Amino acid sequence: MENIKESELVRIQSLIYEIRGYKVMVDRDLAKLYGVETKVLNQAVKRNIKRFPEDFMFQLTHEECLRSQIVTLNTKQGHHLKYLPYAFTEQGVAMLSSVLRSDAAIEVNIRIMRAFVSIRNQIYAVKHLNSELETIKAKLELLERNDEDNLEAINDLSEDMRKEIDTIYQAIAALSIKDSVSKDQERPKIGFK
């Protein structure tokens, strides 16, 4: 198997868009990659239309063309879309290999499939990382709550200890006052007179 160059992979990935919830490639870009005219590609598809159900290929609406960055429309006279482009999902691109039978088309198709797989792997990796980050975030929040509970318990203990220490100091102070008062008073003599 021939390894796809990283720059080629990135270039193909930049031609994959998300439309109607699908990852798709537009007929114009596919035709360039296959080295044929867009018209030739679309004619080959129309001759084999049964192979391309709506979840494999669909035609973009005029609004989708205007909103997207896929097709740039120019408002000058003579610069408009004569035909609305077709979008091919990953399965539709795979089906193109059975319609376009040249060796070059097969090689291009393999590279495109690898680009789709690479994007899917990147999406999976991001979802996996997000899941791990959420788990870590939940653990940190739990630790913070435990720390707050521990600090509150320590503060409660400190307050109790402070009260007990104050009570001990008061008792010592009371004893020292009692002792000094008793020293000042003369004691009656004990014994026989």
PDB file of all heavy atoms in Angstrom, residues 72-92:
ATOM      1  N   THR A  72     -18.151  30.082  -4.634  1.00  0.00           N
ATOM      2  CA  THR A  72     -18.152  31.535  -4.587  1.00  0.00           C
ATOM      3  C   THR A  72     -18.928  32.043  -5.791  1.00  0.00           C
ATOM      4  O   THR A  72     -18.554  31.790  -6.933  1.00  0.00           O
ATOM      5  CB  THR A  72     -16.713  32.086  -4.626  1.00  0.00           C
ATOM      6  OG1 THR A  72     -15.978  31.445  -3.601  1.00  0.00           O
ATOM      7  CG2 THR A  72     -16.705  33.573  -4.416  1.00  0.00           C
ATOM      8  N   LEU A  73     -20.010  32.723  -5.500  1.00  0.00           N
ATOM      9  CA  LEU A  73     -20.818  33.276  -6.578  1.00  0.00           C
ATOM     10  C   LEU A  73     -20.419  34.718  -6.818  1.00  0.00           C
ATOM     11  O   LEU A  73     -20.204  35.480  -5.893  1.00  0.00           O
ATOM     12  CB  LEU A  73     -22.310  33.213  -6.209  1.00  0.00           C
ATOM     13  CG  LEU A  73     -22.887  31.819  -6.039  1.00  0.00           C
ATOM     14  CD1 LEU A  73     -24.351  31.924  -5.640  1.00  0.00           C
ATOM     15  CD2 LEU A  73     -22.759  31.020  -7.312  1.00  0.00           C
ATOM     16  N   ASN A  74     -20.332  35.095  -8.081  1.00  0.00           N
ATOM     17  CA  ASN A  74     -20.011  36.457  -8.456  1.00  0.00           C
ATOM     18  C   ASN A  74     -21.281  37.080  -9.031  1.00  0.00           C
ATOM     19  O   ASN A  74     -21.980  36.463  -9.829  1.00  0.00           O
ATOM     20  CB  ASN A  74     -18.888  36.453  -9.498  1.00  0.00           C
ATOM     21  CG  ASN A  74     -18.212  37.794  -9.631  1.00  0.00           C
ATOM     22  OD1 ASN A  74     -18.807  38.817  -9.290  1.00  0.00           O
ATOM     23  ND2 ASN A  74     -16.998  37.782 -10.130  1.00  0.00           N
ATOM     24  N   THR A  75     -21.591  38.288  -8.635  1.00  0.00           N
ATOM     25  CA  THR A  75     -22.836  38.909  -9.052  1.00  0.00           C
ATOM     26  C   THR A  75     -22.750  39.563 -10.425  1.00  0.00           C
ATOM     27  O   THR A  75     -23.748  40.031 -10.942  1.00  0.00           O
ATOM     28  CB  THR A  75     -23.270  39.973  -8.017  1.00  0.00           C
ATOM     29  OG1 THR A  75     -22.207  40.908  -7.864  1.00  0.00           O
ATOM     30  CG2 THR A  75     -23.605  39.335  -6.692  1.00  0.00           C
ATOM     31  N   LYS A  76     -21.566  39.587 -11.030  1.00  0.00           N
ATOM     32  CA  LYS A  76     -21.431  40.180 -12.357  1.00  0.00           C
ATOM     33  C   LYS A  76     -22.180  39.327 -13.380  1.00  0.00           C
ATOM     34  O   LYS A  76     -22.342  38.122 -13.199  1.00  0.00           O
ATOM     35  CB  LYS A  76     -19.959  40.276 -12.764  1.00  0.00           C
ATOM     36  CG  LYS A  76     -19.153  41.209 -11.904  1.00  0.00           C
ATOM     37  CD  LYS A  76     -17.706  41.196 -12.359  1.00  0.00           C
ATOM     38  CE  LYS A  76     -16.857  42.029 -11.421  1.00  0.00           C
ATOM     39  NZ  LYS A  76     -15.446  41.936 -11.745  1.00  0.00           N
ATOM     40  N   GLN A  77     -22.556  39.952 -14.470  1.00  0.00           N
ATOM     41  CA  GLN A  77     -23.278  39.236 -15.513  1.00  0.00           C
ATOM     42  C   GLN A  77     -22.395  38.143 -16.102  1.00  0.00           C
ATOM     43  O   GLN A  77     -21.228  38.354 -16.396  1.00  0.00           O
ATOM     44  CB  GLN A  77     -23.716  40.215 -16.618  1.00  0.00           C
ATOM     45  CG  GLN A  77     -24.619  39.571 -17.642  1.00  0.00           C
ATOM     46  CD  GLN A  77     -25.145  40.593 -18.644  1.00  0.00           C
ATOM     47  OE1 GLN A  77     -24.813  41.760 -18.567  1.00  0.00           O
ATOM     48  NE2 GLN A  77     -25.966  40.139 -19.552  1.00  0.00           N
ATOM     49  N   GLY A  78     -22.984  36.967 -16.262  1.00  0.00           N
ATOM     50  CA  GLY A  78     -22.248  35.844 -16.827  1.00  0.00           C
ATOM     51  C   GLY A  78     -21.449  35.066 -15.804  1.00  0.00           C
ATOM     52  O   GLY A  78     -20.830  34.069 -16.139  1.00  0.00           O
ATOM     53  N   HIS A  79     -21.443  35.520 -14.553  1.00  0.00           N
ATOM     54  CA  HIS A  79     -20.699  34.832 -13.488  1.00  0.00           C
ATOM     55  C   HIS A  79     -21.673  34.276 -12.460  1.00  0.00           C
ATOM     56  O   HIS A  79     -21.786  34.774 -11.358  1.00  0.00           O
ATOM     57  CB  HIS A  79     -19.723  35.798 -12.796  1.00  0.00           C
ATOM     58  CG  HIS A  79     -18.605  36.225 -13.672  1.00  0.00           C
ATOM     59  ND1 HIS A  79     -18.683  37.332 -14.470  1.00  0.00           N
ATOM     60  CD2 HIS A  79     -17.386  35.677 -13.869  1.00  0.00           C
ATOM     61  CE1 HIS A  79     -17.545  37.464 -15.120  1.00  0.00           C
ATOM     62  NE2 HIS A  79     -16.748  36.469 -14.783  1.00  0.00           N
ATOM     63  N   HIS A  80     -22.378  33.252 -12.814  1.00  0.00           N
ATOM     64  CA  HIS A  80     -23.294  32.616 -11.893  1.00  0.00           C
ATOM     65  C   HIS A  80     -23.245  31.110 -12.116  1.00  0.00           C
ATOM     66  O   HIS A  80     -22.681  30.641 -13.100  1.00  0.00           O
ATOM     67  CB  HIS A  80     -24.719  33.144 -12.081  1.00  0.00           C
ATOM     68  CG  HIS A  80     -25.280  32.858 -13.439  1.00  0.00           C
ATOM     69  ND1 HIS A  80     -24.939  33.590 -14.549  1.00  0.00           N
ATOM     70  CD2 HIS A  80     -26.136  31.892 -13.855  1.00  0.00           C
ATOM     71  CE1 HIS A  80     -25.569  33.095 -15.606  1.00  0.00           C
ATOM     72  NE2 HIS A  80     -26.296  32.067 -15.218  1.00  0.00           N
ATOM     73  N   LEU A  81     -23.838  30.396 -11.192  1.00  0.00           N
ATOM     74  CA  LEU A  81     -23.849  28.945 -11.331  1.00  0.00           C
ATOM     75  C   LEU A  81     -24.914  28.547 -12.340  1.00  0.00           C
ATOM     76  O   LEU A  81     -26.081  28.903 -12.189  1.00  0.00           O
ATOM     77  CB  LEU A  81     -24.175  28.283  -9.987  1.00  0.00           C
ATOM     78  CG  LEU A  81     -23.059  28.203  -8.978  1.00  0.00           C
ATOM     79  CD1 LEU A  81     -23.567  27.586  -7.693  1.00  0.00           C
ATOM     80  CD2 LEU A  81     -21.903  27.402  -9.506  1.00  0.00           C
ATOM     81  N   LYS A  82     -24.497  27.815 -13.350  1.00  0.00           N
ATOM     82  CA  LYS A  82     -25.463  27.321 -14.321  1.00  0.00           C
ATOM     83  C   LYS A  82     -26.167  26.105 -13.733  1.00  0.00           C
ATOM     84  O   LYS A  82     -27.370  25.926 -13.901  1.00  0.00           O
ATOM     85  CB  LYS A  82     -24.735  26.956 -15.620  1.00  0.00           C
ATOM     86  CG  LYS A  82     -25.650  26.640 -16.760  1.00  0.00           C
ATOM     87  CD  LYS A  82     -24.845  26.493 -18.042  1.00  0.00           C
ATOM     88  CE  LYS A  82     -25.765  26.250 -19.220  1.00  0.00           C
ATOM     89  NZ  LYS A  82     -25.014  26.094 -20.465  1.00  0.00           N
ATOM     90  N   TYR A  83     -25.385  25.269 -13.013  1.00  0.00           N
ATOM     91  CA  TYR A  83     -25.929  24.072 -12.387  1.00  0.00           C
ATOM     92  C   TYR A  83     -25.528  24.070 -10.917  1.00  0.00           C
ATOM     93  O   TYR A  83     -24.391  24.394 -10.585  1.00  0.00           O
ATOM     94  CB  TYR A  83     -25.382  22.809 -13.056  1.00  0.00           C
ATOM     95  CG  TYR A  83     -25.673  22.745 -14.540  1.00  0.00           C
ATOM     96  CD1 TYR A  83     -24.688  23.024 -15.472  1.00  0.00           C
ATOM     97  CD2 TYR A  83     -26.952  22.405 -14.990  1.00  0.00           C
ATOM     98  CE1 TYR A  83     -24.958  22.972 -16.834  1.00  0.00           C
ATOM     99  CE2 TYR A  83     -27.223  22.350 -16.343  1.00  0.00           C
ATOM    100  CZ  TYR A  83     -26.227  22.651 -17.265  1.00  0.00           C
ATOM    101  OH  TYR A  83     -26.498  22.602 -18.593  1.00  0.00           O
ATOM    102  N   LEU A  84     -26.438  23.671 -10.084  1.00  0.00           N
ATOM    103  CA  LEU A  84     -26.117  23.556  -8.656  1.00  0.00           C
ATOM    104  C   LEU A  84     -25.211  22.345  -8.459  1.00  0.00           C
ATOM    105  O   LEU A  84     -25.445  21.286  -9.056  1.00  0.00           O
ATOM    106  CB  LEU A  84     -27.396  23.423  -7.834  1.00  0.00           C
ATOM    107  CG  LEU A  84     -28.271  24.682  -7.810  1.00  0.00           C
ATOM    108  CD1 LEU A  84     -29.593  24.384  -7.109  1.00  0.00           C
ATOM    109  CD2 LEU A  84     -27.554  25.828  -7.128  1.00  0.00           C
ATOM    110  N   PRO A  85     -24.191  22.465  -7.625  1.00  0.00           N
ATOM    111  CA  PRO A  85     -23.233  21.358  -7.456  1.00  0.00           C
ATOM    112  C   PRO A  85     -23.839  20.192  -6.672  1.00  0.00           C
ATOM    113  O   PRO A  85     -24.803  20.354  -5.917  1.00  0.00           O
ATOM    114  CB  PRO A  85     -22.090  21.997  -6.676  1.00  0.00           C
ATOM    115  CG  PRO A  85     -22.650  23.214  -6.058  1.00  0.00           C
ATOM    116  CD  PRO A  85     -23.811  23.652  -6.883  1.00  0.00           C
ATOM    117  N   TYR A  86     -23.235  19.037  -6.855  1.00  0.00           N
ATOM    118  CA  TYR A  86     -23.606  17.846  -6.110  1.00  0.00           C
ATOM    119  C   TYR A  86     -22.589  17.638  -4.993  1.00  0.00           C
ATOM    120  O   TYR A  86     -21.400  17.905  -5.154  1.00  0.00           O
ATOM    121  CB  TYR A  86     -23.618  16.614  -7.022  1.00  0.00           C
ATOM    122  CG  TYR A  86     -24.791  16.590  -7.966  1.00  0.00           C
ATOM    123  CD1 TYR A  86     -24.659  17.073  -9.271  1.00  0.00           C
ATOM    124  CD2 TYR A  86     -26.032  16.105  -7.566  1.00  0.00           C
ATOM    125  CE1 TYR A  86     -25.732  17.062 -10.146  1.00  0.00           C
ATOM    126  CE2 TYR A  86     -27.109  16.093  -8.433  1.00  0.00           C
ATOM    127  CZ  TYR A  86     -26.961  16.579  -9.715  1.00  0.00           C
ATOM    128  OH  TYR A  86     -28.024  16.577 -10.569  1.00  0.00           O
ATOM    129  N   ALA A  87     -23.098  17.144  -3.883  1.00  0.00           N
ATOM    130  CA  ALA A  87     -22.238  16.816  -2.746  1.00  0.00           C
ATOM    131  C   ALA A  87     -22.247  15.303  -2.575  1.00  0.00           C
ATOM    132  O   ALA A  87     -23.305  14.675  -2.605  1.00  0.00           O
ATOM    133  CB  ALA A  87     -22.750  17.504  -1.483  1.00  0.00           C
ATOM    134  N   PHE A  88     -21.068  14.721  -2.398  1.00  0.00           N
ATOM    135  CA  PHE A  88     -20.929  13.273  -2.246  1.00  0.00           C
ATOM    136  C   PHE A  88     -20.461  12.963  -0.828  1.00  0.00           C
ATOM    137  O   PHE A  88     -19.455  13.495  -0.363  1.00  0.00           O
ATOM    138  CB  PHE A  88     -19.905  12.725  -3.250  1.00  0.00           C
ATOM    139  CG  PHE A  88     -20.356  12.817  -4.680  1.00  0.00           C
ATOM    140  CD1 PHE A  88     -20.172  13.983  -5.409  1.00  0.00           C
ATOM    141  CD2 PHE A  88     -20.958  11.733  -5.292  1.00  0.00           C
ATOM    142  CE1 PHE A  88     -20.586  14.070  -6.722  1.00  0.00           C
ATOM    143  CE2 PHE A  88     -21.379  11.814  -6.611  1.00  0.00           C
ATOM    144  CZ  PHE A  88     -21.196  12.981  -7.334  1.00  0.00           C
ATOM    145  N   THR A  89     -21.193  12.083  -0.145  1.00  0.00           N
ATOM    146  CA  THR A  89     -20.768  11.634   1.179  1.00  0.00           C
ATOM    147  C   THR A  89     -19.628  10.636   1.002  1.00  0.00           C
ATOM    148  O   THR A  89     -19.262  10.279  -0.128  1.00  0.00           O
ATOM    149  CB  THR A  89     -21.940  10.949   1.926  1.00  0.00           C
ATOM    150  OG1 THR A  89     -22.310   9.768   1.206  1.00  0.00           O
ATOM    151  CG2 THR A  89     -23.135  11.879   2.070  1.00  0.00           C
ATOM    152  N   GLU A  90     -19.101  10.148   2.102  1.00  0.00           N
ATOM    153  CA  GLU A  90     -17.998   9.191   2.037  1.00  0.00           C
ATOM    154  C   GLU A  90     -18.401   7.954   1.231  1.00  0.00           C
ATOM    155  O   GLU A  90     -17.637   7.464   0.401  1.00  0.00           O
ATOM    156  CB  GLU A  90     -17.577   8.785   3.455  1.00  0.00           C
ATOM    157  CG  GLU A  90     -16.405   7.841   3.501  1.00  0.00           C
ATOM    158  CD  GLU A  90     -15.948   7.530   4.908  1.00  0.00           C
ATOM    159  OE1 GLU A  90     -16.441   8.131   5.871  1.00  0.00           O
ATOM    160  OE2 GLU A  90     -15.068   6.657   5.039  1.00  0.00           O
ATOM    161  N   GLN A  91     -19.632   7.473   1.446  1.00  0.00           N
ATOM    162  CA  GLN A  91     -20.104   6.309   0.702  1.00  0.00           C
ATOM    163  C   GLN A  91     -20.252   6.639  -0.789  1.00  0.00           C
ATOM    164  O   GLN A  91     -19.973   5.802  -1.653  1.00  0.00           O
ATOM    165  CB  GLN A  91     -21.449   5.808   1.257  1.00  0.00           C
ATOM    166  CG  GLN A  91     -21.364   5.242   2.647  1.00  0.00           C
ATOM    167  CD  GLN A  91     -21.428   6.322   3.732  1.00  0.00           C
ATOM    168  OE1 GLN A  91     -21.611   7.502   3.461  1.00  0.00           O
ATOM    169  NE2 GLN A  91     -21.271   5.904   4.970  1.00  0.00           N
ATOM    170  N   GLY A  92     -20.685   7.869  -1.075  1.00  0.00           N
ATOM    171  CA  GLY A  92     -20.815   8.290  -2.466  1.00  0.00           C
ATOM    172  C   GLY A  92     -19.472   8.354  -3.167  1.00  0.00           C
ATOM    173  O   GLY A  92     -19.342   7.951  -4.327  1.00  0.00           O
TER     174      GLY A  92
END
